[in-house]
């Protein structure tokens, strides 16, 4: 058993109430999917497994489903946050409460059993998340599973119908993505690749990501709030548009609710949806990004 599995559960002393959206000005397509959110708690039932590096949100499944309803999104994808480590209990409970409208991205390391992987799939999980973000001392964030585990898990992930979701500072992708793309495993990149808009379109990481996306080797999540500058996110527009143009069949939209680490800077999901609606520009593309692509990837 790994040290992660022996972590001591704990209930946060204080929690942060997440910002809830209003109704977007533009109605989302029927069966629209918010492909990137998180649930936390209720903490008396689902305590954290690791010390959180951010304020713990009060974001249980019922509040999350109310957020989706306010947004007008019929479907959603929940991503297991790092403080839960490899314990999927809160995620699986939320997926069950979704009664078929949700899919999940869990966290597991190479010690996970085939029976556990099958349980995840049966519960609505369609991917495992790997994070290569480190603290100043070089350690992974508590509860994270790094990119180094992907290759070892890839054969069994394929067997169990799971893809890989990746999150890292942008420059880290230069080191890892060429090899990961050769595994033949679908790879989903979080948050516009964590790119820095000010580096411009000649940025080598942007060029790498756009090329891999155009080749069909990766998928891209068009989550603006971690990359662009509120309120209009205009500095990130060229990144969004370039990825959509590179491969409109393999881009996804997500709000990133409940916006951990953002505090008072947390956006409203309805405002983000309205930006995406305008930038996508046509009903055909909105249908593709919000409905068809997530349905194909996550098996709705």
């Amino acid at each position: 058993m790994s040290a992660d599995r022996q972590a001591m559960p704990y209930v946060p002393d204080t929690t942060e109430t997440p910002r809830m959206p209003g109704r977007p000005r533009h109605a989302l397509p029927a069966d629209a999917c918010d492909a990137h959110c998180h649930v936390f708690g209720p903490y008396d039932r689902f305590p954290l497994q690791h010390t959180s590096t951010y304020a713990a949100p009060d974001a249980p499944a019922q509040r999350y489903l109310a957020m989706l309803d306010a947004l007008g999104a019929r479907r959603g994808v929940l991503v297991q946050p790092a403080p839960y480590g490899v314990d999927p209990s809160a995620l699986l409970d939320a997926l069950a409460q979704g009664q078929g409208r949700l899919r999940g991205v869990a966290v597991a390391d190479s010690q996970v059993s085939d029976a556990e992987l099958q349980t995840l799939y049966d519960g609505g999980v369609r991917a495992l998340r790997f994070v290569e973000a480190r603290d100043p001392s070089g350690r992974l964030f508590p509860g994270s599973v790094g990119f180094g585990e992907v290759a070892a898990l890839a054969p069994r992930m394929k067997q169990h119908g799971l893809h890989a979701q990746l999150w890292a500072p942008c420059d880290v992708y230069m080191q890892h993505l060429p090899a990961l793309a050769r595994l033949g495993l679908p790879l989903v990149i979080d948050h516009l690749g964590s790119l820095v808009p000010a580096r411009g379109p000649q940025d080598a990481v942007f060029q790498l990501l756009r090329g891999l996306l155009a080749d069909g080797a990766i998928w891209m999540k068009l989550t603006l709030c971690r990359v662009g500058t509120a309120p209009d996110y205009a500095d990130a527009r060229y990144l969004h548009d370039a990825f959509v143009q590179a491969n409109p069949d393999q881009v996804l939209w997500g709000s990133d609710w409940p916006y951990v680490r953002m505090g008072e800077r947390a956006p409203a999901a309805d405002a983000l949806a309205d930006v995406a609606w305008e930038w996508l520009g046509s009903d055909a593309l909105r249908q593709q990004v919000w409905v068809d692509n997530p349905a194909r990837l996550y098996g709705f």
Side-chain angles (χ1 to χ4, degrees):
M1 180 176 289
S2 70
D4 192 25
R5 294 163 191 263
Q6 298 172 344
M8 183 67 67
Y10 82 99
V11 175
D13 293 331
T14 60
T15 59
E16 183 175 85
T17 301
R19 182 175 182 177
M20 297 294 283
R23 180 70 66 174
R25 290 184 292 107
H26 306 286
L28 303 185
D31 290 329
C33 179
D34 181 341
H36 195 103
C37 291
H38 311 279
V39 290
F40 294 80
Y43 290 109
D44 58 344
R45 294 179 59 206
F46 305 114
L48 299 178
Q49 301 296 309
H50 297 269
T51 302
S52 178
T53 58
Y54 46 79
D58 183 13
Q62 286 186 326
R63 178 166 284 166
Y64 161 69
L65 289 169
M67 187 281 299
L68 277 188
D69 290 341
L71 198 60
R74 171 63 189 159
R75 296 167 174 168
V77 177
L78 286 169
V79 179
Q80 184 167 319
Y84 278 111
V86 296
D87 178 6
S89 302
L91 175 68
L92 292 174
D93 178 77
L95 296 179
Q97 290 190 50
Q99 299 183 327
R101 66 187 288 196
L102 306 177
R103 295 291 184 267
V105 179
V107 177
D109 57 28
S110 56
Q111 297 186 43
V112 67
S113 69
D114 285 326
E116 289 171 317
L117 290 175
Q118 188 62 50
T119 296
L120 290 175
Y121 186 90
D122 292 344
V125 170
R126 295 296 179 266
L128 299 180
R129 193 189 200 197
F130 301 89
V131 173
E132 197 61 35
R134 297 176 180 269
D135 65 20
S137 68
R139 293 176 300 216
L140 290 170
F141 287 160
S144 299
V145 174
F147 288 5
E149 295 275 287
V150 180
L153 277 165
R156 292 195 294 144
M157 291 172 68
K158 294 177 191 177
Q159 178 185 348
H160 289 278
L162 303 173
H163 63 264
Q165 182 170 312
L166 309 176
W167 178 58
C170 63
D171 290 322
V172 172
Y173 291 117
M174 295 295 292
Q175 175 185 353
H176 291 276
L177 264 187
L180 293 176
R182 291 193 291 270
L183 294 174
L185 186 71
L187 306 174
V188 178
I189 308 299
D190 279 351
H191 309 319
L192 289 169
S194 306
L195 291 163
V196 180
R199 286 160 59 161
Q202 300 309 310
D203 176 31
V205 186
F206 168 64
Q207 296 286 343
L208 172 70
L209 293 172
R210 184 173 61 177
L212 289 171
L213 180 60
D215 291 341
I218 63 172
W219 294 63
M220 181 63 66
K221 287 195 177 180
L222 306 173
T223 31
L224 280 175
C225 65
R226 299 289 172 181
V227 173
T229 304
D232 61 6
Y233 302 96
D235 55 339
R237 175 74 187 262
Y238 80 93
L239 300 171
H240 172 282
D241 290 355
F243 288 139
V244 172
Q245 291 164 10
N247 190 344
D249 291 325
Q250 291 188 196
V251 290
L252 308 155
W253 181 86
S255 69
D256 198 27
W257 187 91
Y259 310 111
V260 300
R261 294 192 179 90
M262 297 194 77
E264 294 299 317
R265 298 181 297 109
D270 55 301
L272 294 171
D274 282 329
V275 169
W277 195 94
E278 292 167 2
W279 287 7
L280 291 171
S282 72
D283 286 342
L285 198 50
R286 294 171 192 129
Q287 172 74 19
Q288 193 169 6
V289 173
W290 263 308
V291 183
D292 298 344
N293 293 349
R296 190 171 76 257
L297 180 64
Y298 296 106
F300 285 109

